[in-house]
Structure formats: structure tokens, C-alpha cells
Amino acid sequence: MNSTRDIDALIDLMAKLPGLGPRSARRAVLHLIRKRALLLTPLADLMQSVAVTARECLNCGNIGTSDVCDICASHKRGNGLICVVEDVADLWAMERAGVFKGRYHVLGGTLSALDAIGPEDLRIPKLVDRVASEDITEVILALNATVDGQTTAHYIADQLDGRTLLTTLAQGVPIGGELDYLDDGTITAALNARKSI
Amino acid sequence: MASLALSELKLSHFRSHKHARIDADGRPVVLYGPNGAGKTNILEAVSLFSPGRGLRHASAADMARRPESLGWKLSGVLHSLHQIHEIDITCQEGGARQVRIDEKAAPQLALGRIARVLWLVPSMDRLWIEGAEGRRRFLDRITMSFTPAHGDATLAYDKAMRERNRLLKDMVRDPHWYRALETQMAEAGAVIHANRQAALVHLAAAQDQAETAFPTATLDLIAGDAGMPETSDDFCAALADNRPRDMAAGRSLIGPHRADLFATYAAKDVPARDCSTGEQKALLVSLILANARALARDFGAPPLLLLDEVAAHLDADRRGALYHEITALGAQAWMTGTEMTLFDTLGDAAMYVKITEIDGLSQVAQHDA
């Protein structure tokens, strides 16, 4: 019997994580074993706990450990704004910026006929319900500027037409960005959305 | 050195070439040798320095040398206006094509900003008599040479149309989903249509202003049976109206993907498709040269020209006129022919590369006139 079988299996599992390959997985596992008390045991405990408790918020699709996430549960976030994002990672990116004070709606993907992902596979019907029931004044569509992202944005806009104010994020020059490095489409968008200073 | 030229081209395991290197100096490059020696493979390699699938419209996997099929690599030093770029194009076995410009990974479309490549290959000799798809591709290459962003619009349009076609085939009846896709098709489609029309205006101007031995072609964009609505809103409405017919057909029946290019031999007022083989070839050469002249003005440098078996169907006078126009334009033209004598009138104005084949391997030998 191979005495390192479990460790090898752990390395193989870790190597499946995004951003890790076999080499970095071996380093990570070795590091965890060396820091058994400080890292490995607490990590194992937490993973076990999260495996049981992690769930999607029934309201917005955010990931948390209760049926309704902290953002949806907070009265302070109920300012009538909903920001629609494709994925939880996008929600976290928005939260890192710390500017948006409303609530979110995570679609869980984008419409794609070729991949057989339709409106009912996303949380679009739920979004329509929320706009009707939560006294929403504005829906901000923060979807990716890809064909699928924009198709989804147009679809939602069509569904919510006339029920609330609909906006999308601006497109243009990133903060700290240099014009020379921008593609033609971004420069065109930035120029069209220019503002007086 | 011409203001747009490859000064060095290296091929590794690409088609019939195991290792090949050509050092150029901006003059036209004549590639000559027997049939099947690997001349067109070199033109194809140069064509990959522009976005797209190259002059054979082949997949990256098909370009690997057989039987090894290890993947392939092209390296080039490109002089573009006042800059020099090192470009690597690689394809690992079974993988997609990767582009690196100055040692940094770059999307294929980035090549369109630093290089302009136009080509004329024997399969285009039947361009005016065969299906519309070839003519659309020809027009889109001309358009992309003027407006590299045309490629983005085409990609966006094709993606949205494929999605819509899937819905049509699956008989999905959700009008919101259709409208979302049709809005995107309409936005991209209007851009495509406008870009194509602008390109034709550019070409017409370049033909009008030129003193050339080649006949002028009058070009018209035919928008398909149903026409092409002028604005994106009209196009969107037309797509919505057409849904039942599209659903019956299982695909989108209107839009810029159904357009056609109609050419007329202006001096004789005869459609290109009814002209003689030689006249059809002369019209194509005329259009390529007009495109090159317009680019020289627009982009600031004449494009790289890839002229495969260009001497075929051209008499000695027209060949001489072609070489004269290329050298007057200052374009780095890569030309192939079976005999060096076909290029006699170029003399020292070109450099020569003899291509032969030994045991399935192409051999490359460079020399002056």
C-alpha cells in the first residue's frame, strides 16, 4: 500500500483548482502539512463546515451561509437599486470597489442558444419578480461587453421595459489607462460617451 | 526598406517547409520553381501576418508539416511605417494559433493594426462566376484593409446570427430572446454594411485617379433579395418581420451575410462574369492594385501583396505593366511562378528565391537577378 496515497490524492485535487497546476499544488500541500496546526487543520475544519453551510441566496443568487445573504438581509442596502451581474465573482468585484450601496442580482451565466442556456436557466424570472415586489427604482445592468453578455442585457431590458429605470455601466478609458493601449472599439465608446469637465 | 515589409521570414515545420529562412530588403520577392515545390506555402505563411485564416482559408492544424504534425511556427521581422516589430505565430499540436508581437501575446486582430496584406490566388480566377461567398470574403478583406475594426463587427454579427439560427432551428418562440439577438445583429450588421460601402467608395476613387494599364471595374454591393435596410433600427425591424420565414428555413435569410458584390468591366459595360478569363484576371489585378494605392494613401504604406501564379492569364505587356506598377508603388510583393523568365522585366528591382523539393522537403535558395 502506498503510504503517500492520500497526500497524492490531495495534490491531484488541489491541482484542479483555478490558478493552480500540479507544481503549485505540490508546493501548497507541502506548505499546509508543514503548517499543520496553523493552516491545515483550520482549513480542513472550515472546508467541512462550508461544504455543509454554503448556499445560494434565495433572493439574489449571491453565495453565503444562510438562505438570504447579508446584502439582501441588510435594510441599509434596500435603496431601490439592483445591480445585475453574471457571476458571483462579478458581485465580489463590485463589492471590492465599495461604491455601490444597493442590492445585487446574480444571473448565474448568460443567454447562449448554442450552449442551450435559456432564460429559465438564469435567474431572469426572479429578477422580474423582484422588480415588481421590492419597490425598485433602477436596475443597473453590469454585464460583460461580449455578444452573450449584451444579448442578455438586451433580453432583460426587453423584459423590464417600462417597469423601472434601466441603466448600464459606462464603457471607456480605464482609470490609469493609456489611450495608446486601447482597442478601437473602446476608444470609439469613450469618445461617444465624452463629458464636459 | 519599403515602409511596410518583412525583412526576415522564418518557417518551421510549416506545410512542406521543415526549416526555411528568407531575408528580404523591401524589394518584391519572386519565388519560382516547379509545381508542388512549396512556393504558395510561403505566400500562405506571409498571409498569416494579417488576421484571419490566411490565403487558403485553412485551419491551423492543416498547416502542420506531415507526417510529424508537431505544430508549426512562423517568425517575421516586420517593418511597419516607422516601427520594427518581431512577430511570432505558433500553433502547438492540436492547439489554436497564437500570435506574439514584440514578445507579448496579442490577439490576431492586433496584426491588422500593424500589417496590411492583400492577395490574389488562382482559386480567385473564378471569383466572378462562382458563389457569392467568395466575393463577400474578397470584399470583406478589402474592407478590413481599410478598417481593421470591420473584423470585430463581422465576428459579433456571426456570433449573434449563429445564436439566432440555433433558436430558429430549435423552433424557440421567445420574442424577447430573438429581439435581444436581432438588436446585436442589427448594430453589427449596419456597421458591416457601412464599412463595405465606404471601402467601395475608396476603391472607386483609387481607380478613377490612377493611370493604369489595367481595366477599371465598377463595383456594386448587392444587398440580397430583401435588400439591406439603411439604419440598424430598420434592420432590426426587418429581422423581426422575417422571423416566420427564417424559422421555416431554419436560418437567417436577410442581412449582410447574404450580400453580393457585382462587378462590371467599365470600358465595355459588360458584367465581369461574362468577360474572358484574361479580362476577369485583369479586373482582379486592377482591384488589388487600386486597393494597394488607396492603402498607400490611407495607411501610409502600400500593403504586402501576395500574387500567386500571377503571370497566368496575363500577356507579356500586362505582366510588364503589373511589375511596373508594383515597383512604382514601392510595395513588397511576393510573387510566384514556375519559371524565373516570367519575371525577366523586373531585373534587379526584385530579389529571387528558388524553391525546389527533395524527398518531400522544400528547399529555399535566395539569389539576385
Side-chain angles (χ1 to χ4, degrees), chain A residues 85-96 104 142-144:
Chain A
V85 292
E86 285 179 23
D87 197 73
V88 176
D90 299 329
L91 185 157
W92 289 347
M94 294 285 293
E95 281 296 281
R96 274 202 306 278
Y104 293 94
L143 301 175
N144 291 334

Side-chain angles (χ1 to χ4, degrees), chain A residues 3 31 39 41 46-47 52 71 77 79 85-86 99-100 114-115 122 143-144 149 157 168 184 190 195:
Chain A
S3 61
H31 187 74
L39 280 176
T41 311
L46 264 176
M47 285 178 108
V52 175
I71 296 174
R77 305 292 296 247
N79 60 0
V85 292
E86 285 179 23
V99 177
F100 181 65
L114 293 171
D115 296 326
L122 306 174
L143 301 175
N144 291 334
T168 62
D184 303 350
K195 57 185 183 180

Side-chain angles (χ1 to χ4, degrees), chain B residues 11-20 37 41 60-73 91 93 357-363:
Chain B
L11 290 74
S12 174
H13 288 86
F14 184 84
R15 298 269 190 196
S16 58
H17 296 268
K18 196 164 186 179
H19 295 289
N41 295 341
D62 287 343
M63 297 171 194
R65 217 191 101 70
R66 297 214 167 82
E68 302 99 296
S69 293
L70 294 171
W72 49 266
K73 179 174 181 180
C91 172
E93 186 194 353
E357 182 245 308
I358 301 172
D359 296 334
L361 264 183
S362 292
Q363 314 285 323

Side-chain angles (χ1 to χ4, degrees), chain A residues 57-62 68-69 71-74 77-85 91 100 102-107 123-139 160 163-164:
Chain A
C57 171
L58 295 175
N59 195 42
C60 74
N62 187 13
V68 177
C69 72
I71 296 174
C72 287
S74 165
R77 305 292 296 247
N79 60 0
L81 299 185
I82 288 185
C83 179
V84 179
V85 292
L91 185 157
F100 181 65
R103 290 183 176 143
Y104 293 94
H105 193 81
V106 182
L107 295 174
R123 272 185 211 88
I124 293 175
K126 176 70 183 167
L127 175 65
V128 178
D129 288 349
R130 285 185 68 187
V131 169
S133 63
E134 285 185 34
D135 199 16
I136 298 303
T137 53
E138 181 178 350
V139 171
L160 297 179
R163 300 185 193 196
T164 181

Side-chain angles (χ1 to χ4, degrees), chain A residues 135-177:
Chain A
D135 199 16
I136 298 303
T137 53
E138 181 178 350
V139 171
I140 303 164
L141 299 173
L143 301 175
N144 291 334
T146 58
V147 171
D148 284 343
Q150 292 309 297
T151 300
T152 312
H154 284 298
Y155 183 90
I156 294 172
D158 216 31
Q159 294 271 307
L160 297 179
D161 192 26
R163 300 185 193 196
T164 181
L165 175 65
L166 280 165
T167 56
T168 62
L169 295 187
Q171 292 176 335
V173 185
I175 305 289

